[in-house]
Amino acid sequence: MKEQEYVIKDIDSFELKDIFDCGQCFRWNEQKDKSYTGVFKNNVVNVKKEKNKVIFNGICEKNIKETIEDYFDLNRDYEKIKKQLANIDKYMKTSIQYGKGIRILNQDLWEMIISFIISANNNIPRIKGIIERLAKEFGNEIIYRGKKYYTFPTAEQLKDVTVEEYRKLGLGFRDIRLYETTKMIVEKKIDIKEMKKNPNTIEVREELLTLSGVGPKVADCILLFSDLKRFEVFPIDVWVRRVMNDLYIKKEDETKVSKKQIEQIAKEKFGTLAGLAQQYLFYWRRGA
DNA sequence: ACTCAGGTATTAC
DNA sequence: GTAATACCTGAG
């Protein structure tokens, strides 16, 4: 396939570091020239920011302009969203200033399910390593600028992988979860295509929770970061618990703060934009 | 050697 | 329902 290019001038709310380091994705890596290269669906793309321009270059299955507009959520007015959230209080204002270039990517649902199962009780370098090894072992090769890249393996491609093989790739105790979840999806016990059509987030969440390795936090990450795009959820991990306690609850021991309390505060403060608020707060507190 | 990291599943009150 | 505990692995 041939390289394509797409250039955008004067775009708001678009900073490479904020987008790729805010915790939503695992397959974008910074290059020597400060650009980022990543693999998503059957595409390999390099993104570079120069002055008032953003340059997208890569191998895309379809038209690069449409591919990028969809993946980078370019048709959403983040300036408007940020204004709304910044009005809530001074903490939101601060965190939004910090992560002003964040955009929530439209990532593949299946990839997000597997990626966030892997993320459980794990650290980012290791999560990224595992995903790369999975892709190299079971995904498709794409050559871009003389270098080999690998697509995220489909459910079909993981169908016959054994628990032992996963263990060899360093999955650890998540091996069985990957195996079982893949099986459920391939056998259509859970139909992830139908999920996208269901506007009832509560129902979709319940369905996700039946998958092995998917608990409340992972389910919410999937809902928020995949192309399900449910902005009303509020994934609570250690960092979010920390920042919510620091700002709004102020208990001595943050680990004793109940999830319920955090959820309630998130709902009344942030409403349908809770997921976005979570991202700004998470990124700010973590100080990436 | 030992702790910790984007939690979940299991078991026990 | 809510609380305690084990769990692969590899980096610091």
Side-chain angles (χ1 to χ4, degrees), chain A residues 29-255:
Chain A
N29 298 305
E30 192 173 23
Q31 309 298 305
K32 283 171 223 132
D33 65 352
K34 298 290 169 191
S35 69
Y36 282 76
T37 301
V39 184
F40 60 97
K41 299 267 178 72
N42 292 313
N43 313 300
V44 180
V45 170
N46 174 266
V47 196
K48 195 170 184 175
K49 215 175 165 186
E50 282 179 2
K51 295 175 202 164
N52 66 331
K53 285 196 297 189
V54 182
I55 304 155
F56 302 89
N57 181 291
I59 309 286
C60 288
E61 198 175 18
K62 297 174 188 163
N63 176 288
I64 191 170
K65 179 172 185 285
E66 285 157 29
T67 303
I68 293 300
E69 280 175 353
D70 173 59
Y71 184 72
F72 285 90
D73 207 25
L74 296 186
N75 293 319
R76 193 183 309 272
D77 189 349
Y78 279 79
E79 293 301 310
K80 188 175 153 194
I81 292 172
K82 287 193 292 186
K83 255 179 215 158
Q84 271 176 265
L85 285 173
N87 268 332
I88 293 172
D89 58 36
K90 60 182 176 183
Y91 306 124
M92 284 312 299
K93 193 165 284 177
T94 305
S95 65
I96 287 169
Q97 215 151 47
Y98 181 85
K100 57 182 184 303
I102 290 178
R103 269 171 189 276
I104 305 296
L105 302 166
N106 271 309
Q107 303 184 80
D108 180 69
L109 174 55
W110 155 255
E111 179 173 339
M112 289 302 98
I113 292 172
I114 299 303
S115 297
F116 280 100
I117 288 174
I118 295 168
S119 80
N121 194 228
N122 211 340
N123 58 62
I124 292 163
R126 188 166 162 230
I127 298 166
K128 291 177 95 168
I130 291 170
I131 292 174
E132 286 319 306
R133 289 195 290 280
L134 274 177
K136 189 168 184 185
E137 196 76 19
F138 306 110
N140 300 325
E141 182 182 294
I142 298 177
I143 297 191
Y144 172 56
R145 290 179 171 166
K147 231 184 129 197
K148 289 177 179 174
Y149 295 86
Y150 300 89
T151 59
F152 193 89
T154 62
E156 200 57 31
Q157 284 174 316
L158 291 189
K159 178 166 62 96
D160 299 317
V161 179
T162 62
V163 176
E164 288 72 26
E165 283 179 279
Y166 283 138
R167 200 44 84 95
K168 255 189 253 163
L169 291 175
L171 268 286
F173 61 78
R174 305 158 195 83
D175 54 2
I176 184 78
R177 300 176 181 173
L178 227 68
Y179 176 82
E180 288 178 346
T181 287
T182 300
K183 199 169 165 145
M184 282 182 77
I185 289 173
V186 169
E187 290 174 359
K188 294 253 165 80
K189 296 257 194 312
I190 293 289
D191 190 336
I192 63 174
K193 266 193 181 153
E194 285 301 313
M195 250 178 214
K196 298 188 195 188
K197 295 181 197 160
N198 187 350
N200 186 333
T201 301
I202 310 278
E203 279 178 21
V204 178
R205 193 172 190 272
E206 286 301 316
E207 262 196 294
L208 286 170
L209 287 172
T210 65
L211 295 170
S212 176
V214 178
K217 190 268 179 182
V218 169
D220 285 342
C221 283
I222 295 167
L223 287 162
L224 179 59
F225 299 136
S226 77
D227 39 22
L228 289 170
K229 265 294 167 50
R230 308 300 163 100
F231 283 173
E232 69 270 37
V233 302
F234 195 77
I236 299 170
D237 60 34
V238 287
W239 292 100
V240 174
R241 186 179 296 267
R242 209 164 282 163
V243 70
M244 290 297 279
N245 185 52
D246 290 352
L247 301 182
Y248 303 118
I249 303 169
K250 303 182 198 294
K251 263 200 187 180
E252 272 186 44
D253 186 354
E254 78 209 16
T255 62

